[in-house]
Structure formats: structure tokens, C-alpha cells
Amino acid sequence: MDFESFRPLDGFSQLLLGGLLLGAAYYVIIISRKYQARRSLVLQHACKPPSKYPVRDPFLGLDVVYDALRAAKRNTFIKEKITHYNDYGNTHSSRLTTYPVISTIEPENIKTVLSTNFKDFVIGSPRRRAFGPVIANSVLVADGVEWEHARAFLKPSFSRSQVGDLATLETHVKHLIDAIPTDGSTVDLAELFLRYTADVTTDFMFGESILSQPHPEAFGRELTDACRIGQLGAERRFRLGILANLVPQGEFYRAVGKVHSYMEGHVDKAIQQRHSQSDEKKDANTNNGRYIFLNELVKMTDDRMVLRDQLLGIFLAGRDTTSALLTNLFFVLGRRPDVWKRLHRELDSLNGRKPSLEDIKGLRYLTFCLNETLRLYPIVQGTSRVATKDVILPTGGGDDGKSPVLATAGTLVIFHFAALHKRKDLWGEDADEFRPERWQDEKASWNFLPFGGGPRNCIGQQFALTEASYTAVRLLQEFSGIESRDSQPWTERLGATVFSANGAKVSMMK
């Protein structure tokens, strides 16, 4: 070798090489320290890894993505998730594209993520990336200070005095009652409930309802389909992860554009009205004593995108949550004449008068039925959080699934409420059966999470339950009997919420 051909590096090259070596050394030190810190945590808490879901693609988990998309298309997603927990344990690990995943239905683990260590977890980029095109500025996908501001921004709108406007509910319940045939013919209550909740939600948000029950064209099929496509597309994007943008999504984006245009029309009208008012009127109550959600929000900001996305998040949640709950309840009632009769007996105490909020609170068996519906058919099948630091989950590791588990920073922790609510060790051997009486002795716990838990629990929970309770009471008062006209078992249909794929096909008698 001719050493004379080698020339010493010039000053810049020496500096560059030195910088690269220092950077590499620093990286090794950081990784080493992180490893030592994690090893110390594992030893200190006696952590053990959870069982592993058999991922065939160890790099991106593409087989997991494919299986999830196929199950959702076949309406078997929840069924397959329950099977996974039965086969691989109540806590197990897997992978979703670039994210390590821990799936768990252990109440103590869920409590740790949603409450005890709330500040160590965020919604994270997986869900923001998936739902961003639909509701980028909504409280539903915000994190940190942005979430705190959004939550404080919306919370006054869901105070007890605002959600208890039963007179407005009664207006739309009458339209619902008028739409139900009494000649013994079959009706799909799912379609009617969806229009009903759209009417109620728009009345609450805009101060005027779209009145889609007496005028079905008011919330046209095109817009209804756009809402459905947007929600399904967002969920699909979540399951695809970083691969979402590699898949054609023209239909999804066109649907989102239609829904955005609808909301922006209402936002622009409210902002224009606000700006045209005199200072005196701005400070006064100009809603004739009624609380109008959008008008109150416009007092705090005139940012069109923020208003649009907050409205859309509330609209989709308010419409779909309650309509799904009512559909599932009446799906069951059509097959359970014993439950229908007992509910009728409970309502005898009202002597035919319309219920007040206090009356609704006192209807214990109705509450049991709603809880049991939410347990067996959760409106939201699951949710997720991303760890921002290393966190110890209390249980789920080792061969027996009882040791603590280390969830490292960047881990996507997923819980499936539909599987949690059917655990036989928590709910008994009849966990798959609709038995409202079980709620006589059941107390609030992390075993039952129909609206999530912790600081980020559903802000509209009381609104949804009040609307569902009042509607159920009024239908029970108006109709003496119900009969199922569908021999098929309940089948899931996944979107942002879980619907009955077969609706609720029944006949109702006066």
C-alpha cells in the first residue's frame, strides 16, 4: 500500500468528522442511559412483558392492519378483538405500523392511562393524523394546553341547566311519534332515531332545527352519506396509520368537504350576526331566553375553522351517540316483552304526565336498561393513548398476566370497551346476556366505561343520557307494545361509533 498517496484531512473535514464522532458518541450515551433507566424501572417494579400477539410483519405490522380492515368490512371487528383477548390475554403486545402497541382490558391499566397518569399520555399523532382532515381543531383530538382551552371553551355549554331543556326535546319527540306507523307495519327505528337526534342536536347548536323528521329532505341523503363516509374514512385512516396517505381517498375528502361546507354556512351566519349587533346587544341575551350553543361560542372567538370543527365534533357525537343507544335499546326491547312490560309498570308512577328531570332520575329500571344496553353494545368500541414517557401499568405481564408492565415512551396503548364489558370474570357467566337486574348492586367502577373515564371523559355524557331517557319514556307512554320484525342477531357496524348493522326493525302498537 502506498502510504504516500494519503493526504491529511483539511481543517473542515477534520471538524466534520469530529462532529460526526461526537454526535455518534452522544447518541450512544443517551441510548445507554435510557436503557439503564428502563432496566432500573423494570427491576424496581418487577415488570414482565405481556404476551405477544403473533405479528407476522415485525417491521410495520402490515398483517395487523390488513386483519383489522378486513374485520371492519365484515362487521366482525369487535368479535375478533374479543377472541384476541381470550387467546392472548387481557393485556398483550403487537404493532401498528411504526408504533409498538399494548392492548389491554384490565381496569387498573385503563385507570392508570386515563386518570392516575393522565398527564403522561396524549391522544397522539395516530388519532390526530386519522381524524385531522375532519375535525382538526376539535376538543376530540386536541392535546395539552390546546385541549385544556378547548375543554374550558365547551364545558359551560353542557351544564345541567343547558342539557335539561326537555321542552325542546318534546317538540322533536312528537315528530318522532308521528313518524312511527301504528298499523302493525314494520319500521326501522334506526333511521328515525338518526333523523330525530339530528333535529335535536341542530336545535341545540344553532337555535333552529333542520326538522329532518317532518321534512326528510332537510338533512338530505347526500349529507347523511357524507357524514357516514367521513367517519368511516377517519377510522380506516387510523387503522392504516402512516400508510393512510398511500391509499386513494378521493371519496373521503369529497365527503369531508360537503360536511365542512354545511357547518361553515352556519358559522358564517352566526359571525355575521354577531358583528352586525351593537355593543349593547352583544352583551344582552338576544336568544329569547334560550341557550344557543353556536351563539355562545361566537362570543369567545370568530375563528371559522375552530368554530367549524368544534361544532362538527359535537354534531357527530351528539347525533350518532344517542341514536345508536336508542337503536340498540329498542332492538332489545322488540325481543324482550318481559323488559318492555316492566318498564311500563315503572312508568305507572307518572300517571301519564311527561317526565321531569327529577322523574327521570327516579326511574331506576330504565337506568338499568340503558346501562345494560351500553355494556353489551358500547357506543364507542375502544380508544387509545400514546405514552409520552415510560410508565408502569399495574398488571398484565408474565405468564399469569398479573405482573406490572412497562409501557415505554411512544407506545400506543389501546383499550376495547366492548371486550372489557363482556369479561365473564368481571360480569359473571351471563355476561353475554341482557340482564338489567345486574345493575341493582353494581357500583361505578373502571369495569364499565361507556363514555370513557378520567379528565377526558365524554363532555356530552349527561346530554346523551337525558335525551335517550326522555325519548324512551315518551315512546313507552305512547305505545303499548313492540314486536321485533328481524330474526337476525345483533351485528356491529363500525364507524366513529358502533351501530346495529340491521337497525331496529320492529312494529309498534298504540
Side-chain angles (χ1 to χ4, degrees), residues 64-253:
V64 176
V65 174
Y66 174 78
D67 289 346
L69 292 173
R70 182 182 60 181
K73 188 174 182 179
R74 292 179 175 179
N75 293 335
T76 60
F77 184 86
I78 291 175
K79 182 179 179 180
E80 291 187 22
K81 283 302 173 186
I82 292 174
T83 300
H84 292 169
Y85 285 109
N86 289 337
D87 291 347
Y88 305 109
N90 293 331
T91 301
H92 55 265
S93 64
S94 61
R95 189 161 200 86
L96 180 65
T97 61
T98 58
Y99 284 87
V101 173
I102 293 177
S103 297
T104 184
I105 52 171
E106 288 290 355
E108 286 304 311
N109 288 347
I110 298 173
K111 179 182 177 182
T112 296
V113 174
L114 295 184
S115 182
T116 310
N117 288 64
F118 171 75
K119 292 186 177 180
D120 299 331
F121 291 88
V122 293
I123 292 293
S125 59
R127 195 157 288 277
R128 279 202 307 274
R129 183 168 51 235
F131 286 85
V134 186
I135 48 173
N137 300 292
S138 169
V139 67
L140 300 177
V141 294
D143 276 319
V145 174
E146 182 185 350
W147 169 78
E148 291 177 4
H149 289 165
R151 182 87 174 191
F153 183 61
L154 295 174
K155 193 173 181 180
S157 300
F158 291 93
S159 67
R160 186 175 184 275
S161 60
Q162 312 308 341
V163 303
D165 184 2
L166 301 185
T168 298
L169 285 182
E170 178 60 24
T171 298
H172 301 296
V173 165
K174 287 179 178 176
H175 293 152
L176 174 62
I177 292 168
D178 290 341
I180 298 174
T182 58
D183 59 358
S185 58
T186 300
V187 60
D188 186 357
L189 291 178
E191 290 295 324
L192 298 185
F193 286 145
L194 203 54
R195 293 210 299 264
Y196 164 69
T197 54
D199 288 356
V200 171
T201 306
T202 50
D203 207 342
F204 169 70
M205 292 197 312
F206 308 136
E208 56 183 18
S209 172
I210 57 175
L211 296 176
S212 66
Q213 294 184 97
H215 307 289
E217 72 284 355
F219 194 77
R221 175 58 58 184
E222 186 178 10
L223 193 55
T224 302
D225 288 345
C227 288
R228 178 181 57 81
I229 292 168
Q231 290 174 288
L232 289 173
E235 285 293 332
R236 184 166 178 259
R237 286 169 58 83
F238 178 74
R239 296 186 186 102
L240 284 167
I242 61 170
L243 305 175
N245 291 333
L246 301 179
V247 177
Q249 300 176 74
E251 184 184 34
F252 166 73
Y253 281 106

Side-chain angles (χ1 to χ4, degrees), residues 36-49 392 406:
Q36 292 297 331
R38 285 178 177 170
R39 187 170 183 274
S40 177
L41 268 177
V42 168
L43 292 174
Q44 179 185 349
H45 296 277
C47 295
K48 294 182 180 179
I392 304 297
L406 175 64

Side-chain angles (χ1 to χ4, degrees), residues 6 12 135 140 145 258 277 330 346 364 405 434 502:
F6 285 94
F12 175 76
I135 48 173
L140 300 177
V145 174
K258 289 175 184 176
Q277 290 174 351
F330 279 81
E346 183 172 62
R364 295 186 70 230
V405 172
F434 186 89
N502 298 329

Side-chain angles (χ1 to χ4, degrees), residues 375-490:
R375 184 187 71 82
L376 270 181
Y377 314 110
I379 297 166
V380 178
Q381 61 84 20
T383 190
S384 65
R385 297 289 187 271
V386 175
T388 58
K389 59 185 289 188
D390 295 348
V391 177
I392 304 297
L393 301 181
T395 188
D399 293 337
D400 61 0
K402 294 182 179 179
S403 298
V405 172
L406 175 64
T408 58
T411 297
L412 180 66
V413 183
I414 301 177
F415 3 92
H416 297 93
F417 303 134
L420 169 68
H421 292 173
K422 289 190 176 182
R423 279 182 55 175
K424 292 185 178 180
D425 58 326
L426 299 179
W427 298 98
E429 288 302 313
D430 63 351
D432 293 329
E433 298 176 16
F434 186 89
R435 187 171 67 83
E437 293 75 16
R438 77 175 77 245
W439 292 94
Q440 289 177 343
D441 303 315
E442 194 69 36
K443 295 180 181 179
S445 74
W446 289 87
N447 297 352
F448 178 59
L449 298 169
F451 295 96
R456 285 194 81 126
N457 70 330
C458 176
I459 196 171
Q461 173 179 346
Q462 200 54 52
F463 183 89
L465 290 175
T466 299
E467 184 181 358
S469 298
Y470 186 85
T471 307
V473 170
R474 294 292 292 115
L475 291 180
L476 282 156
Q477 288 178 324
E478 290 291 328
F479 295 93
S480 62
I482 184 172
E483 181 181 286
S484 175
R485 293 292 174 85
D486 178 13
S487 61
Q488 297 299 312
W490 187 90

